[in-house]
Amino acid sequence: MMRLLLCAQLMLLALTAYATGQEGDVIYIKGERLTLLGNPICLDSTLNHTLKGELPSNRHVVTSNWDGYTAYWSINNDKLCLDSVRCETYDPNTKAVVDESIPSETLYRVFSSYRAGNRIVASWVSGKLRVAKGKVIYYQHTGFERNYEEETILDIARGKVIGKKKYHNFVSEGFSFDQLEQKGAQELLHKILSLHIERYPELANVKRLIFRVKRARVDKKGNLLECDVQVVRPDANPQLATEIAEALKAYHPWKVYYINGEYRALGIENWAVPYILQDE
């Protein structure tokens, strides 16, 4: 039993740690240094495992970079190429963290199947890669769940760039549930909803209800076109969720994110929204 409890605790710790925002790799396109929101080496678990076996054992590992290395890439003749791998090592004598480049000979050995002359072509990579620059306009503290002012989506097929789309992302200001900690936000929420609590006798002794919004769709003007509401606590008449949804759709403007060609309600969806019914 103790072993099972220990395993459960370790799994929970691991899940919590990996919820941290990750640093990402670096990519150069036409000489410009950009952020690669992903780790293409990790797409092949065998390669990743082999590479980490070659890295210094005293490399600096942090929750924002669990593998303890950063890969540097470039696009050459429409091919995704791995140029170098760097890591930080800790010197216990000087108590300093030193940036260190992995020798080319080591990389050629690890990636021998993908070597083309003096280049390593990432032909194990297929799918879409997201490249970013500018300011962060949306951030969640997990993985690569963040968006930048400028993003380019690279479509990769066996290491070859077969398409790309560039986007200029922005935010149109308005109310969103990530602002509920701000002064006056709860008052505005009450004004938006104006619920007819008297219709729900089951809420007579309830001090607050909590709801979530799913499948929210907004337009560029901040109109909430549609949404599904789920009352999380307490159990209530399903009509209450409908009333909340209609009240939310009647409000304008909501905060709108234009992300990679879509208007999105990132500040509305999936938040546990507390609505105070009476003083606690």
Side-chain angles (χ1 to χ4, degrees), residues 155-173:
D155 194 4
I156 310 292
R158 298 184 61 82
K160 183 176 177 63
V161 179
I162 60 174
K164 61 181 178 180
K165 290 184 179 180
K166 188 173 183 178
Y167 297 95
H168 295 275
N169 300 325
F170 59 87
V171 180
S172 296
E173 291 303 324

Side-chain angles (χ1 to χ4, degrees), residues 64-85:
S64 60
N65 186 341
W66 274 105
D67 288 320
Y69 69 83
T70 299
Y72 289 74
W73 309 82
S74 62
I75 304 296
N76 293 281
N77 296 322
D78 290 329
K79 294 180 180 179
L80 177 66
C81 297
L82 175 63
D83 297 329
S84 64
V85 172

